[in-house]
Amino acid sequence: MTVQDWLGKDNEIGIDIWCKKYQFEDETFEEWLDRVSNGNEAVRKLIASKKFLFGGRILSNRGLNKHGVKTTLSNCYVIEPPEDNIESIFECAKKLARTYSYGGGCGVDISKLAPTGAKIRNTAKETSGSVSFMDLYSLVTELIGQNGRRGALMISIACDHPDVERFVELKSDLNKVTKANISVRITDKFMEAVENDGDFVLSFVREETNQTITKTIKARELFRKMCEMNWNYAEPGMLFWDRIENYNLLSEDDNFHYAGTNPCAEEPLPAGGSCLLGSLNLSEFVKTCVSDGYEYKMFDYADFAHAVETAVKALNEVLDEGLPLHPLQEQRDSVRDWRQIGLGIFGLADMLIKLGITYGSDEAVKLCDEIGFTLADHAIEASARLAETNGTYPKYNAKAIKYSEFYNKNTGPVSSKLVEKHGLNNSQLLTIAPTGTLSTMLGVSGGIEPIFANYYTRKTESLMGKDKYYKIYTPIVAKYMAENNIKDDKDLPEFFITARDLDYKARIKMQAIWQKHIDASISSTVNVPESFTVEDTEELYKLAWKSGLKGVTIFRENCKRNAILTSDNKEPKVEVKETETLPRGYITDVSDDLIGCKRKITTGCGTIHLEVYSDEVSGEPQETFINIGSGGGCERNYQFISRLISVALRAGVPIEAIIDQAQSIRPCTAYTNRTKTRKDTSPGTSCPAAIGLALKDLHSKARDLRIEADDEEITEHVVDNSPKCPECGEPIAMEGGCNVCKTCGWTKCDL
């Protein structure tokens, strides 16, 4: 098998992602499968069938230590929170740098750092505050490269820290902390104060100086400010910390404490904790069945359950293999003691479309509830079976697990008996990561996100001097339209709902049902329209808290954050606007990315071969070649004719005018004689006329190959204020906490 066989020869984006991100040097696809699976034939088959993929660090780095490459297999870490002293603050920066150099993303919580104005015993007399050190950690993230990328960082702070107001407003300055995501750790007590319009106390005790700093605020005012910042800048995210701490396998274990989350917030972890990621592609578990001559589709639970067990075993193999590869000793110790893995899902929206179910509907919620329970139950069962042979994780506490709410809601009789008998090999099992790069490579939806859009608008410069815009359909949409002979996306059934059209309440409902079955968390972005108000934002976050979510962010179309989404402040390479008419005599350059069609033409003298190359999006012809066959005439004359046609096309001469001129040539005696006697000539009365007719036919077929937007809907004067990809200039989608370009595969989170 080649990568083209695996992804499809037309999936240029996916092939490019694999070559750039995951292929090591010049290894073949089969060699890559061998390296990534490391002898596990079951997981090799899952990857080959596109049912499962490890996280990006594993796909890129597994086995490279044998080649002397210093790199981790973990996507993410949480660094031990810095203590309130200068040595610890800069030691944290050192740990960030070392972890980034091995390819890991980091989370760090700054709640232990003293607030602005606290007394200190040095020449400064009082501290500049916890927030002032965020730029230091952001700078470290910017400086340390990771194979052409930058590190990823999450900085969090507790909602009762006196610096929280300054923290919340920090990113209104677009030049501040540009290389980190930020989130506030929200407590139930704070949200209850918001609901009741009550007071809330911010407090910090600095033991070194025996100073207590307190401030009483109106909870609703701070919450409003957080929502305004989200409305404008999509940050800070909100981490519902009590839900994070109280709903997991370790919720009743007094010896375990979370220290923060990873950059995309799907992984709460202890100090030094890390997580190995892997995701199951739900779209590939839809099977076609036939009963009494009736064909229908259903989700294959048995196949899925088997895949869950295989994936859990595979992630534990990677965990053991990667234990000595972590950058820091505190990370090696934490991974050894707690053994966290993070198995999740992606392709949810594609799965629902295949089944004809609307994302967010009651039917979808019910189905996700059943799949989610299957995921959790069989992951726990698989971990228990590993404990039978390999033992429990070192800090396993059987009593604590037994009383965990998450455990009791997500185990059946088989898994619970196995845990009671053997314990668990892992303290954390499940998470839902953004999967931005993985899903783009396979051409499916990321994480639990709905489809961002049914199509993306692509611009091409027309030969007549004006930009034109065309619809490039999302793979699942294009496939459905082709299979059902649908020409216009307006005719798609109602279950093709997109992130832009989905009511936020349905979106929260879908995340809530998945969170019920995920012991870690879910990386999630709720996309909302530009008309979404600050008051709507407040209601969304209140609903998220009440629904049991552990965290969520929003992205409002055309918000102020658009200005900072393109990395390194690069201007997009493509401007979406109407161009001026080209000057007379101007000849456009011909692109290399053309679609070619060929015709054999039998003339009065023999045969010639016409090739026409057209723009892959617009279908407009740009270049022709004419080659002689047997006794076809003068080769140089045909070369001259084909070059004249090409120049005319690229100068903006309509092809219809060229065809008309060709058909106006007087009949050729040799052509008409052969037509009468041998009756094998191509349509026409002369070589030019035959070329003109062939041009007409090939032009028509090239147009049929393209997918063009309705001229009244997407032609000139298109206003597109969506954020653009820094690499190719195409629109960026917001999925699962990541910025994803569906055109070239660029992602900001890159996890």
Side-chain angles (χ1 to χ4, degrees), residues 12 27 47 82 116 225 227 251 309 356 389 452 575 636 681 723:
E12 295 179 5
E27 69 183 348
I47 295 173
T116 306
K225 176 55 66 177
C227 291
S251 60
E309 294 169 5
T389 55
F452 184 73
E575 295 181 1
R636 288 168 180 76
T681 53

Side-chain angles (χ1 to χ4, degrees), residues 297-352:
K297 293 182 178 180
M298 63 176 291
F299 188 81
D300 192 335
Y301 285 94
D303 190 22
F304 180 68
H306 178 69
V308 171
E309 294 169 5
T310 300
V312 168
K313 180 180 178 181
L315 285 168
N316 274 281
E317 290 173 352
V318 176
L319 189 152
D320 292 327
E321 180 185 328
L323 190 58
L325 304 178
H326 298 291
L328 306 173
Q329 187 60 47
E330 70 180 51
Q331 295 162 351
R332 294 189 284 273
D333 293 342
S334 180
V335 172
R336 179 200 63 220
D337 289 343
W338 299 105
R339 295 185 63 87
Q340 293 100 344
I341 62 170
L343 178 62
I345 56 100
F346 66 114
L348 170 63
D350 288 63
M351 176 199 76
L352 292 173

Side-chain angles (χ1 to χ4, degrees), residues 27 93 132 143 311 346 362 401 425 442 467 491 502 527 566 613 659 672 723:
E27 69 183 348
S132 64
L143 289 175
F346 66 114
D362 291 342
I401 293 293
N425 193 232
L442 294 191
D467 291 349
D491 298 324
L502 185 67
N527 288 273
T566 52
Y613 290 87
I659 294 170
T672 55

